[in-house]
């Protein structure tokens, strides 16, 4: 008779046991996805051409990221050793935190902000210190400076920030780096193209400044998972020790040069989104809904107590939006990605219908 096998599973690190599970919402097939801040249309046709020409034989080889890193570095006006390509900015955040955060260190975060900073930090032995933005969700510069301690090891700033769309000025970022010379200041420019201001030119001149950029937003390549980290060579050498040498696959590497070269497509898409943002913001204002000024490809709106029903009604109308109520200070607030003008006309119709239904519902309750 077979012996009974005892079902004992080895336990992970305490910190991992304490981590929250992160489940991004699933998309519906035919819906307009305004819940992930993606490009809502397509990547450049030049990228599609390259993808179509990839041979099965080329997939047998491990990817070589260095030549593409050199192209990216030149594009940013930096030297190749200052740039590392990553499997999305998410991997950039992950490896940076793995390389630099020790027990006793603090990750300083203005909140609300991008969720994954906290997720990756919670897998390390560092402590997360948050600084809450005021109700206007403006970048809390003074409070952040006041929260710096000798233990502050990384300060992560999404610029523009998500879900608020607010920005820190270049002068504020430089001042933060100056006041915390013992800490790395990560400036995550995931939404750079919709804003236009960067600190890329300061990389290497400010020793504790690190930059992240993604190809998931304006470039429309979220599915390929492509991001980058740029910083002084002295910092990047430690990052490279932790970074998997093959985490950026060869399809992503092949697509990056045409994505960069097709500036006409990028400019067109960004122009379309900026025009659509203005029109959609007007529609939100006309609907009497509070919103926060945004420098990115999304807008945060105040729905209030009906946020769950609103999100559900939008989904039923074929428009996916993201309820940010669980973000600190964001109860009742919903983030809506900006796509093309045509898509945002559809979104505005759905928004007005959902709001009308909410208002009718609450009148009926009275
Ligand atoms: C501020 C910010 N950084 C990074 C990311 C993720 O980028 P990636 O797709 O390159 O991992 C997002 C995605 O929403 C984001 O909002």
């Amino acid at each position: 008779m077979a012996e009974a096998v005892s079902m004992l599973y080895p336990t992970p690190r305490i910190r991992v046991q304490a981590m929250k599970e992160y489940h991004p919402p699933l998309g519906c097939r035919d819906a307009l996805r305004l819940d992930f801040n993606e490009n809502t249309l397509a990547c450049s046709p030049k990228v599609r051409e390259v993808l179509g020409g990839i041979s099965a034989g080329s997939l047998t080889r491990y990817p070589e990221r260095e030549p593409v890193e050199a192209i990216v570095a030149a594009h940013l006006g930096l030297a190749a050793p200052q740039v590392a390509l990553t499997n999305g900015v998410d991997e950039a955040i992950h490896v940076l935190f793995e390389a630099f955060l020790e027990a006793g260190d603090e990750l300083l975060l203005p909140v609300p902000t991008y969720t994954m900073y906290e997720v990756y930090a919670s897998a390390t032995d560092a402590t997360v210190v948050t600084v809450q933005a005021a109700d206007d969700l403006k970048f809390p510069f003074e409070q952040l400076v006041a929260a710096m301690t000798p233990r502050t090891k990384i300060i992560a700033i999404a610029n523009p920030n998500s879900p608020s769309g607010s920005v820190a000025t270049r002068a504020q970022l430089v001042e933060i780096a100056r006041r915390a010379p013992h800490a790395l200041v990560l400036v995550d420019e995931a939404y750079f193209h919709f804003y236009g201001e960067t600190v890329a030119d300061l990389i290497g001149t400010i020793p504790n400044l690190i930059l992240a950029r993604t190809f998931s937003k304006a470039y429309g390549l979220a599915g390929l998972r492509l991001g980058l980290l740029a910083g002084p060579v002295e910092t990047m050498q430690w990052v490279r020790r932790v970074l998997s040498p093959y985490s950026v696959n060869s399809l992503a590497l092949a697509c990056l040069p045409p994505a960069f070269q097709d500036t006409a497509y990028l400019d067109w898409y960004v122009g379309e989104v900026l025009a659509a943002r203005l029109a959609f913001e007007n529609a939100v204002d006309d609907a009497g809904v509070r919103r926060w000024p945004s420098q990115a490809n999304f807008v945060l709106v105040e729905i209030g107590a009906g946020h769950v029903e609103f999100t559900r009604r939008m989904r039923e109308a074929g428009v996916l939006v993201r309820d940010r109520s669980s973000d600190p200070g964001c109860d009742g607030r919903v983030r809506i990605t900006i796509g093309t003008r045509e898509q945002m006309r559809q979104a505005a119709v759905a928004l007005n219908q959902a709001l009308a239904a909410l208002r009718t519902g609450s009148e009926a309750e009275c």
Side-chain angles (χ1 to χ4, degrees):
M1 222 175 82
E3 252 178 62
V5 181
S6 75
M7 298 295 272
L8 266 183
Y9 299 100
T11 48
R13 290 169 40 231
I14 305 277
R15 289 298 296 254
V16 174
Q17 291 177 46
M19 281 176 80
K20 289 182 220 139
E21 286 186 25
Y22 178 68
H23 296 288
L26 292 177
C28 324
R29 202 169 277 269
D30 295 321
L32 176 55
R33 284 171 60 113
L34 303 183
D35 54 345
F36 278 89
N37 300 342
E38 298 152 322
N39 175 315
T40 56
L41 214 53
C43 62
S44 148
K46 302 259 167 28
V47 171
R48 274 184 279 157
E49 262 170 48
V50 168
L51 267 179
I54 287 172
S55 69
S58 72
L59 297 180
T60 61
R61 295 190 285 272
Y62 282 102
E64 289 178 7
R65 52 161 34 110
E66 285 82 1
V68 188
E69 283 175 346
I71 295 174
V72 175
H75 186 89
L76 292 173
L78 300 172
Q82 292 179 306
V83 175
L85 289 174
T86 57
N87 190 280
V89 166
D90 281 356
E91 190 195 26
I93 300 164
H94 198 174
V95 294
L96 191 70
F97 289 8
E98 281 296 311
F100 283 91
L101 291 179
E102 299 238 56
D105 286 344
E106 291 172 355
L107 167 72
L108 185 54
L109 285 182
V111 292
T113 192
Y114 182 48
T115 315
M116 298 311 286
Y117 303 134
E118 195 153 355
V119 171
Y120 289 128
S122 64
T124 72
D125 292 318
T127 307
V128 178
V129 176
T130 60
V131 171
Q132 179 67 48
D135 186 57
D136 59 13
L137 298 183
K138 282 191 182 151
F139 179 61
F141 174 72
E142 299 293 345
Q143 295 85 333
L144 195 77
V145 168
M148 289 172 182
T149 75
R151 290 182 301 280
T152 307
K153 191 62 177 287
I154 300 183
I155 305 170
I157 300 168
N159 203 42
N161 187 30
S162 174
S164 60
S166 65
V167 291
T169 65
R170 183 180 164 95
Q172 286 173 330
L173 295 170
V174 170
E175 185 59 13
I176 287 166
R178 195 184 68 76
R179 296 218 197 173
H182 55 291
L184 285 173
V185 179
L186 170 66
V187 180
D188 178 350
E189 295 184 351
Y191 302 101
F192 155 73
H193 295 93
F194 308 103
Y195 173 45
E197 303 253 331
T198 181
V199 291
D201 56 305
L202 299 176
I203 294 301
T205 67
I206 299 180
N208 55 339
L209 187 69
I210 299 273
L211 168 75
R213 287 267 184 98
T214 184
F215 290 81
S216 299
K217 308 298 178 186
Y219 287 103
L221 297 174
L224 283 182
R225 310 304 301 128
L226 193 52
L228 69 89
L229 209 51
V233 181
E234 292 75 5
T235 306
M236 296 309 291
Q237 64 176 344
W238 303 121
V239 168
R240 276 183 227 279
R241 292 213 186 169
V242 180
L243 188 61
S244 158
Y246 306 120
S247 59
V248 181
N249 68 66
S250 50
L251 300 188
L253 290 174
C255 291
L256 192 151
F260 256 163
Q261 277 148 18
D262 197 356
T263 51
Y265 179 80
L266 190 71
D267 291 348
W268 172 79
Y269 184 74
V270 170
E272 181 64 29
V273 168
L274 295 185
R277 188 176 74 197
L278 188 62
F280 188 72
E281 284 175 341
N282 288 336
V284 170
D285 294 347
D286 290 347
V289 170
R290 182 184 180 197
R291 65 172 170 85
W292 282 260
S294 171
Q295 301 291 330
N297 65 335
F298 52 84
V299 176
L300 188 71
V301 298
E302 175 96 63
I303 300 300
H307 57 96
V308 173
E309 190 188 339
F310 172 81
T311 308
R312 180 178 59 76
R313 286 189 179 274
M314 291 293 280
R315 187 171 56 243
E316 282 168 6
V319 181
L320 306 181
V321 295
R322 188 74 77 88
D323 189 344
R324 300 294 345 178
S325 289
S326 57
D327 286 9
C330 285
D331 194 26
R333 296 169 185 178
V334 173
R335 193 191 66 197
I336 304 175
T337 302
I338 304 295
T340 64
R341 278 172 286 189
E342 179 55 38
Q343 290 169 335
M344 297 321 289
R345 274 193 284 274
Q346 184 192 338
V349 170
L351 173 106
N352 280 310
Q353 286 171 351
L355 289 172
L358 281 190
R359 283 168 190 153
T360 315
S362 56
E363 273 162 24
E365 272 170 28
C366 292

